[in-house]
Amino acid sequence: MIKPLLIFLLLPFAIFAQNKSEKRLLKKADKIHARAYTVDTHADAPINMMDMEGFDVGAKHKYEEDGTQIDFPRMKEGGMDAMFFAVYLAQGKRMPEANAEAKEKALKIFKKIHESVEKNAASVELVTSAKEGFKAHKKGKIGIFIGMENGWPIGTDLTNLKMFYDLGLRYITLAHSFNNDLSDSSGDPEGDEHGGLSKLGEECIAEMNRLGIVVDVSHLSDSAFYDVMRLSKAPVFASHSSCRALCDVKRNMTDEMIKTLASKGGVIQINFVADFLKKPSADVAVSIKTIRMQTMKAETSPEEKKKLNAELRQIKYKYPSDVPTVKDVVNHIDHVVKLVGIDHVGIGMDMDGGSDVIGVEDVSKIKNVTIELLKRGYSAKAIRKIWGGNTMRVLAAAENLSKNM
């Protein structure tokens, strides 16, 4: 009888010690975020800004109520200093009329981002370089960079690149889930069309290098990835990808790809989409893939996409063992660090585009990632590199190459 009684008496002290330890870690995480320049390389907030009636990115929302994950107040609350807002379009038909329509839709997204930043100018700033990002941070302002997910709006006219660059574009994910005129995609059910990059895609890389636009290899087929690595004179990154060794899906990068990326000074930013972090069971995987492919079709309406995404969340939470936690995220970070070192990993959460991690339900909770990194022995210096330092190095390298070409 003495032993159970002793455990009962000691239990409050154990809980107290645990709470004290958690508070100490949170305090340390707060200090790190106060000094760090935290950057997320892939944020799909513009989807809600464009498609959700009445959605205001400058007002605080609740994930539990509307399923959204990003707004400026929650960025501030979480200690997120900057995000690359994605100009995203699902791949549609590849013909002159459709390309022109894609361009116009992209321009509307650029306009919406600019308007939202201007509306919140007291606390938010559009930034287009590492230097501008750091300056905004010193002023206490959130920085909004712009990336493009899917090069479809470029069409077959590479002069569009300069126009998009002038609007603030600083990276392009060449293709999305289907092949386009620039590149093969890892997700196209028809397989490779160009055997990697097309001739136009190769010319696009050269023009992006000239302008200082980072090439993003996320979503690309393996052969297209290696074409980019062969052709780009500037370091590139994978704005929202994870490790195939830990989760065997084509969207993720193999160890050999990560080594090649790192050898050229690049960075893989870990994606927080559930099925790219932790492979779900077979039945769940089929359901997730079916819904995801439907949401990616250009003809799917915003209302249908909202219903499909809600259905996707329900499927995942019906099977909690298939939903990743913060530990799964850091497992992928650990894998990259062990493989190629601390200088080649970052974070691209894909929030509002499928991100679904227990513990980081929205951008206000990103310090839970920092806490897990601290638990595993990462130094403050290493965490600052992961949370933005490595990404800013790649952006600055692309800028410097452009200036010297």
Side-chain angles (χ1 to χ4, degrees):
M1 291 297 294
I2 296 174
K3 194 173 181 181
L5 179 61
L6 184 63
I7 293 170
F8 177 75
L9 291 171
L10 290 175
L11 188 60
F13 295 99
I15 293 170
F16 173 76
Q18 186 178 13
N19 289 342
K20 193 174 180 181
S21 174
E22 291 294 328
K23 285 179 181 177
R24 187 167 63 248
L25 284 169
L26 179 57
K27 190 175 181 180
K28 198 169 182 181
D30 285 339
K31 285 183 179 178
I32 289 170
H33 280 260
R35 286 192 59 198
Y37 185 56
T38 52
V39 183
D40 180 298
T41 46
H42 192 84
D44 276 313
I47 293 176
N48 294 330
M49 292 157 63
M50 296 297 293
D51 295 344
M52 281 184 71
E53 187 176 346
F55 180 82
D56 180 0
V57 74
K60 186 174 180 179
H61 299 258
K62 290 184 178 180
Y63 174 74
E64 299 80 6
E65 293 179 0
D66 62 11
T68 66
Q69 296 175 297
I70 300 167
D71 53 51
F72 298 146
R74 280 183 287 179
M75 286 179 69
K76 198 74 174 176
E77 181 183 337
M80 176 61 76
D81 299 313
M83 295 182 108
F84 279 81
F85 275 18
V87 174
Y88 160 71
L89 289 177
Q91 184 63 46
K93 295 177 181 178
R94 290 155 53 188
M95 54 183 64
E97 297 83 1
N99 290 348
E101 186 178 346
K103 177 180 170 181
E104 289 308 308
K105 285 182 178 177
L107 289 172
K108 287 178 182 177
I109 299 171
F110 275 103
K111 184 180 179 183
K112 188 66 157 181
I113 294 170
H114 282 250
E115 288 173 348
S116 297
V117 170
E118 288 165 10
K119 184 180 176 183
N120 296 276
S123 59
V124 183
E125 196 168 303
L126 187 73
V127 288
T128 60
S129 68
K131 189 175 180 181
E132 285 183 8
F134 294 135
K135 278 186 177 180
H137 187 223
K138 283 183 179 179
K139 290 186 283 186
K141 288 189 174 185
I142 288 169
I144 299 300
F145 292 93
I146 301 178
M148 178 179 284
E149 185 178 24
N150 190 4
W152 181 35
I154 297 164
T156 58
D157 184 0
L158 296 183
T159 62
N160 286 326
L161 285 168
K162 179 63 166 61
M163 176 184 64
F164 293 140
Y165 175 87
D166 289 342
L167 291 170
L169 182 67
R170 290 302 179 269
Y171 84 69
I172 299 173
T173 319
L174 296 180
H176 190 242
S177 293
F178 298 91
N179 303 333
N180 63 17
D181 289 321
L182 301 174
S183 174
D184 289 331
S185 163
S186 63
D188 199 307
E190 298 297 321
D192 278 9
E193 174 184 339
H194 309 291
L197 295 180
S198 67
K199 179 65 176 173
L200 181 68
E202 292 182 355
E203 293 170 1
C204 183
I205 300 294
E207 181 64 2
M208 288 171 71
N209 282 173
R210 188 186 72 80
L211 290 169
I213 301 173
V214 176
V215 182
D216 175 20
V217 296
S218 286
H219 283 288
L220 302 192
S221 69
D222 291 8
S223 52
F225 164 81
Y226 285 110
D227 280 350
V228 170
M229 298 313 301
R230 174 175 55 85
L231 292 166
S232 180
K233 294 179 181 178
V236 309
F237 59 46
S239 72
H240 58 307
S241 293
S242 296
C243 306
R244 208 178 294 181
L246 300 187
C247 184
D248 188 14
V249 291
K250 288 183 178 180
R251 248 302 264 116
N252 286 341
M253 299 181 72
T254 66
D255 284 0
E256 195 56 44
M257 293 166 78
I258 295 169
K259 287 177 183 177
T260 303
L261 183 76
S263 72
K264 301 290 184 73
V267 175
I268 172 174
Q269 285 93 353
I270 300 302
N271 190 336
F272 285 30
V273 170
D275 33 324
F276 303 147
L277 287 171
K278 184 177 180 181
K279 198 164 185 179
S281 56
D283 291 343
V284 177
V286 170
S287 298
I288 289 172
K289 185 176 181 181
T290 301
I291 294 171
R292 202 179 292 286
M293 291 302 286
Q294 185 61 39
T295 63
M296 289 171 181
K297 291 181 179 178
E299 61 268 24
T300 304
S301 71
E303 293 77 18
E304 289 172 323
K305 285 180 184 178
K306 187 177 179 180
K307 289 178 182 177
L308 287 164
N309 283 325
E311 189 179 337
L312 189 62
R313 286 196 297 273
Q314 288 303 312
I315 286 174
K316 289 173 183 172
Y317 286 98
K318 272 180 73 176
Y319 305 93
S321 63
D322 289 315
V323 183
T325 67
V326 177
K327 289 183 179 180
D328 294 298
V329 170
V330 179
N331 286 345
H332 282 257
I333 293 172
D334 276 345
H335 183 78
V336 177
V337 172
K338 288 170 185 173
L339 191 67
V340 294
I342 195 65
D343 294 324
H344 304 287
V345 64
I347 291 174
M349 296 185 289
D350 210 348
M351 283 193 172
D352 287 326
S355 172
D356 203 349
V357 171
I358 294 172
V360 198
E361 287 79 8
D362 69 15
V363 73
S364 71
K365 298 181 180 179
I366 64 168
K367 285 177 189 171
N368 286 333
V369 176
T370 305
I371 288 170
E372 182 63 25
L373 289 166
L374 286 168
K375 285 179 180 178
R376 299 199 193 188
Y378 283 85
S379 67
K381 182 180 179 182
I383 292 170
R384 289 196 297 270
K385 286 187 175 186
I386 293 166
W387 262 125
N390 293 335
T391 291
M392 289 297 98
R393 173 180 54 77
V394 172
L395 185 61
E399 293 165 9
N400 291 335
L401 174 71
S402 172
K403 289 174 184 175
N404 294 312
M405 285 184 77

